[in-house]
Amino acid sequence: MSKLLAGKTALITGASRGIGYSIAKVFAQQGADVAFTYLSSVEKGQALEAELLALGVKAKGYKSDASNYNEAEKLVADVVADFGTLHILVNNAGITKDNLLMRITEESWDEVIRVNLKSVFNLTKAAQRTMLKQRLGSIINLSSVVGVKGNAGQSNYAASKAGIIGFTKSIALELGSRNIRCNAIAPGFIETEMTGALDPKTVEQWREQIPLKRGGTGEDVANACVFLGSEMSAYVTGQVINVDGGMLT
Ligand code: NAP
């Protein structure tokens, strides 16, 4: 079978670990040239670059803070200079700073909104120029089931992830006539480093409550990104796809 992303260039933010790492690997396996970012995990970023190159695609890692407007502008300019084009943007970088409202500080509220939501604005705005010129592009934003449903103790994170959904739908409406699609993915409980720090008992309870009876993997989310990045989804825009084992059903 031919590779679903052959001939495409993708930029994935926050690919040194977790879901972003899986997206980068699966995209390269599907034939995409992959530019990706990391922030603090420099060695992991360098190791990923080598892994992707070994898959026979063009690949490059960039140390870049997605929440910084100027760095995002420079990043996209560098990627376009290095790769010659940009077809798929995956806004994956994200953080949590969970707490009850009474304990959330102004600083941690601002940081979660800046890293999770402003980053999506920064990168999408920077990438749209190239996508508009070529009249082709797919933007994929990582939201969360928490952005759809809300979650006690995560009001900052939920607000950032719900904000991503409003942004995604608006950009789909703005850029649809230029053949640029914009969709969101709402993962449920995906077992990564972000969730690895949790109490094993809690994790077991969560698994039990999921209709498919397991946590998701990075590959589960990456496969949905392949669909949205490829021509298989040519008529899909402005949507939120839940990848959650049926959790919200
Ligand atoms: P993770 O394992 O903590 O990895 C986060 C990644 O984001 C890392 O590569 C990190 O890079 C990068 N990052 C953080 N801040 C950044 C910044 N300012 N600029 C650039 N990169 C930055 O997280 P994950 O579980 O894979 O989650 C990935 C995305 O899926 C997030 O948006 C998250 O909200 C969403 N999500 C996750 C789950 C889940 O169950 N895991 C569920 C729903 C949604 P460094 O390590 O280099 O700093």
Side-chain angles (χ1 to χ4, degrees):
M1 208 178 95
S2 67
K3 294 184 174 179
L4 287 167
L5 299 179
K8 304 267 191 201
T9 295
L11 169 58
I12 303 156
T13 63
S16 46
R17 296 184 280 123
I19 293 171
Y21 172 83
S22 298
I23 298 171
K25 284 288 294 277
V26 173
F27 269 35
Q29 285 161 358
Q30 288 295 342
D33 290 332
V34 176
F36 68 90
T37 70
Y38 51 88
L39 189 56
S40 57
S41 312
V42 179
E43 277 173 25
K44 284 186 182 172
Q46 287 164 350
L48 175 60
E49 185 178 295
E51 270 186 73
L52 298 177
L53 289 170
L55 290 167
V57 298
K58 191 168 177 185
K60 189 167 177 183
Y62 302 79
K63 186 174 187 300
S64 181
D65 183 350
S67 73
N68 181 299
Y69 185 84
N70 293 331
E71 282 190 36
E73 285 260 297
K74 181 175 183 314
L75 167 69
V76 172
D78 288 348
V79 169
V80 173
D82 292 343
F83 287 77
T85 181
L86 178 60
H87 303 107
I88 306 167
L89 169 65
V90 185
N91 283 307
N92 167 79
I95 57 166
T96 50
K97 292 227 174 282
D98 299 350
N99 230 326
L100 295 172
L101 178 59
M102 66 170 69
R103 297 206 190 96
I104 296 180
T105 61
E106 184 186 2
E107 289 70 29
S108 78
W109 171 271
D110 286 348
E111 193 182 350
V112 168
I113 299 296
R114 194 165 39 78
V115 176
N116 293 1
L117 182 57
K118 190 185 174 203
S119 63
V120 178
F121 159 76
N122 291 343
L123 269 300
T124 306
K125 189 167 159 70
Q128 74 161 351
R129 212 169 301 131
T130 302
M131 291 181 174
L132 282 169
K133 258 192 246 159
Q134 65 197 16
R135 300 214 170 228
L136 181 68
S138 175
I139 300 158
I140 303 165
N141 297 325
L142 270 289
S143 177
S144 166
V145 291
V146 168
V148 178
K149 187 185 173 290
N151 196 22
Q154 287 198 301
S155 59
N156 49 4
Y157 182 76
S160 72
K161 294 298 180 181
I164 286 175
I165 294 174
F167 181 82
T168 298
K169 293 187 177 188
S170 305
I171 297 308
L173 296 173
E174 272 187 37
L175 301 183
S177 64
R178 314 296 172 89
N179 197 32
I180 299 169
R181 299 181 294 106
C182 186
N183 292 285
I185 291 185
F189 176 51
I190 309 299
E191 300 198 29
T192 65
E193 272 177 49
M194 201 183 236
T195 56
L198 298 166
D199 167 32
K201 260 197 188 153
T202 315
V203 170
E204 206 39 61
Q205 280 168 2
W206 281 2
R207 289 191 189 119
E208 219 16 68
Q209 284 162 17
I210 295 167
L212 288 179
K213 299 293 171 205
R214 66 173 178 89
T217 63
E219 286 74 24
D220 290 325
V221 178
N223 288 335
C225 291
V226 170
F227 169 68
L228 290 176
S230 77
E231 297 311 311
M232 300 290 283
S233 61
Y235 203 50
V236 179
T237 195
Q239 302 305 302
V240 182
I241 299 183
N242 289 9
V243 180
D244 67 354
M247 191 191 248
L248 285 198
T249 303

